[in-house]
Every structure is written in structure tokens, then in C-alpha cells.
Amino acid sequence: MPYAGVIQRYRAYMDLPDHTRPITLLEGATPLIPLPRLAQDLGGECEIYAKFEGLNPTGSFKDRGMTAAISECAGRGVQAVICASTGNTAASAAAYAARAGQRCIVLIPQGKVAAGKLAGAVAYGAQVIQIDGSFDDALTLVVSLSQKYPIALVNSLNPYRLEGQKTAAFEICDDLGAAPDWLCLPVGNAGNITSYWMGFQQYDSLKHTGRPRILGVQAAGSAPLVLGRPVEKPETVATAIRIGRPARGEQALEAAEQSGGRIIAVSDDDILAMQRRLAAEGVWVEPASAAGLAGLAQQVQAGQFDVRGKRIVGICTGHGLKDPEIIAKTMDKPLLVTPTLEALAEVINR
Ligand SMILES: *Cc1c(COP(=O)(O)O)cnc(C)c1O
């Protein structure tokens, strides 16, 4: 049978109601790309892979959760869905709602959403509303709206989102034959780290695939789980994890602790440096998506992580195309040269 998305592939392991009617864009089945140069740079004698979730239909892992949430809604005749978003959830909800023929409303924090994400949500026909407030404010509002009106909430507070997202853990075990030693990933609202831990535990109980230790990574200007308190005005270039009050913060801390891992923070400079490093190995991700491996590199540099003999998977959550402005801001602009061989030769040989 041709591949038909994560629900078709993993439904037996997903806790979805019987009424669920699969709405899919063939999300999932993303590759584990080996990163031999990064592995060498971090000390060698280890395997490092990027699970490139940016290759999902709308360019981020959100599609795994969204196929589940929207399919459950479709099965009970929901007409309209709503979410708060730093951008990728909006694009994903908009696409899957369009596919299902549902109306989609998204609330985003004004001016803080990357261009490629906003464009996606608009292109898929969602009603996009900016609020003069943070992601956390937007989330509070959509929760209230979904309680007051017949509009279904598709943020990761919706349990089916996690059911969909945990399929990434299944894929990693199926591809590698077992869980890796370590999993490194960015942490924003903390739905994803919670989902991975659910998935790895479930597969281990059923198939004895083992469990990874989890290194959850926040941006230093937006690190409530590291500081142990909410951050009122979160700041970071990694807009997808610019969240001061993670909805699933407790579960994230539990996942890190139970797995024998930890949650740390990295600077924006470290995040951007890892974004460049990954691109130099052919994998262009958006800033937030580089945070997991930036955390690994930071720990290795600080002498707090020995990679030798380890198999490590970094989750690259979203595609670089989502946030083209960051490249314009942080990298050199292309040269403008007169169209003559002499001028070109001069520039190329410089
Ligand atoms: C949503 C998102 C995250 C954060 O995931 P959470 O489940 O909110 O922790 C990280 N990276 C990208 C690209 C995202 O879209």
C-alpha cells in the first residue's frame, strides 16, 4: 500500500477515538540525516543524526499533531478550529483545516512571526488575527474562545496533537532498530518533548526498543523551565520557542528527569552558529530547530557531555525557508557585480 501518513502507519499505537476520520497530507516519514562532520567536530567516535522535520508538508513537525487533531475533529463534524501560534502551528492548522473543509482561525503575536509561516497560514485560507500581546496571551484567549463558542482548540493542549507527534519517536526506533542514546530537541510550549517521551516509553514497553535520555533546549532569553519561573517578556531570534509560560512545562521537566536527561538554555549566538553549521552540512533549518544540537555542542564544549560511543538524534523541527529574514539579517548580502568576465574574475579570485 502506498504511504498514507502517520495515522495510517501508526493508528494501532495512537489513542484516537473510533470516530476519527483521517485527514492527511502524507506527513511524517521524515529522514534521519547523518551528520558526520558535526560528529567529528564534537569529538568523533559517535553517530549524530538530524531528524529533519522541516520536510513535513507545511515545513514543520506540527503536521504530525495536526493530522491527528483535525482528523478527530472531522470525525465529529467540527466546522471551525482555532489556535494560538508563533507561526508553524498556524500554517499547519490552516493547511489541515483547508483539507478537511473546516474554517480556521489563528491568533498570532503581533510582529513576531516569521514571514514564511504567516504567508503559509494566509495562503491556506485561514483567518489570521494579530494581537497586541505575546503568544502566552494568545493561548489564554483561544482557550477561552473554544470554551465559549463551538470552535475546536487545536493547540497542543488538545491531547490528539500529542498522539500524532509521538509518531516521530516510533519512526526513529523503526529506522534505527532501537531508540538512540540521546535525543536533543528545542523546547517551547513543551508539547513536542512530552510527545517524544510518550512515544519512546510506549514503544519500549511494546517492542523493547529502549529509551533515550532527553536533552531539552530552550533559548536563554526564553527559558522558564531552566529558571524555574515564567518569563514575562520572552526574547529570542528563535521565534518558534519564544514562549514564557509553557503549557506542558511540568511534563517537560518530568520527561527530562525520568529519561535521565536535562533541560538547558543556549544563547541566540549559539543557536545561529548551529544553524550555520547545519547548513554547511546541507541541512538548512529555522533558528529554533537548531537549538537542540546547539545545546549538545554547548554541553560538549563545557565538558558536560561525552559523545564517545553514543548515538545521538537532534530533532530539526522546522525548515529554514520559514524564516528567510534571519538569513538576510545575519549573513552577508549577495554581491552586485557588473556583468563582465573581468569583474567576475576579480570577485571570484579575491
Ligand atoms: C512549535 C515549534 C517548536 C517548539 O515545540 P513545542 O512543542 O512548543 O515545545 C520548536 N521548533 C519549531 C520549528 C516549532 O514550530
Side-chain angles (χ1 to χ4, degrees), residues 197 214 251-263:
W197 186 232
I214 298 185
Q251 283 162 282
L253 293 167
E254 264 170 43
E257 194 190 303
Q258 288 174 6
S259 74
R262 51 193 176 268
I263 295 186

Side-chain angles (χ1 to χ4, degrees), residues 59-62 86-89 117 156 161 165 186-193 240-241 243 286 288-289 316-319:
S60 84
F61 75 84
K62 300 297 198 300
T86 60
N88 281 328
T89 300
K117 304 179 186 179
S156 56
R161 284 276 308 276
Q165 285 172 205
V187 178
N189 213 25
N192 211 28
I193 186 173
I241 52 173
I243 292 173
E286 69 167 280
S289 306
C316 292
T317 44
H319 203 287

Side-chain angles (χ1 to χ4, degrees), residues 166 169 172 179-187 190-201 210-218 225 251-264 292 295-296 299 305 310-315:
K166 74 184 183 185
I172 292 172
D181 298 301
W182 278 89
L183 186 86
C184 311
L185 83 172
V187 178
N192 211 28
I193 186 173
T194 304
S195 309
Y196 271 100
W197 186 232
M198 279 167 53
F200 281 117
Q201 290 184 99
R211 299 167 187 212
R213 293 174 156 210
I214 298 185
L215 182 69
V217 185
Q218 302 208 286
L225 300 178
Q251 283 162 282
L253 293 167
E254 264 170 43
E257 194 190 303
Q258 288 174 6
S259 74
R262 51 193 176 268
I263 295 186
I264 61 164
L296 174 70
Q299 294 281 289
F305 199 112
K310 304 270 179 5
R311 193 182 239 184
I312 302 163
V313 172
I315 306 303

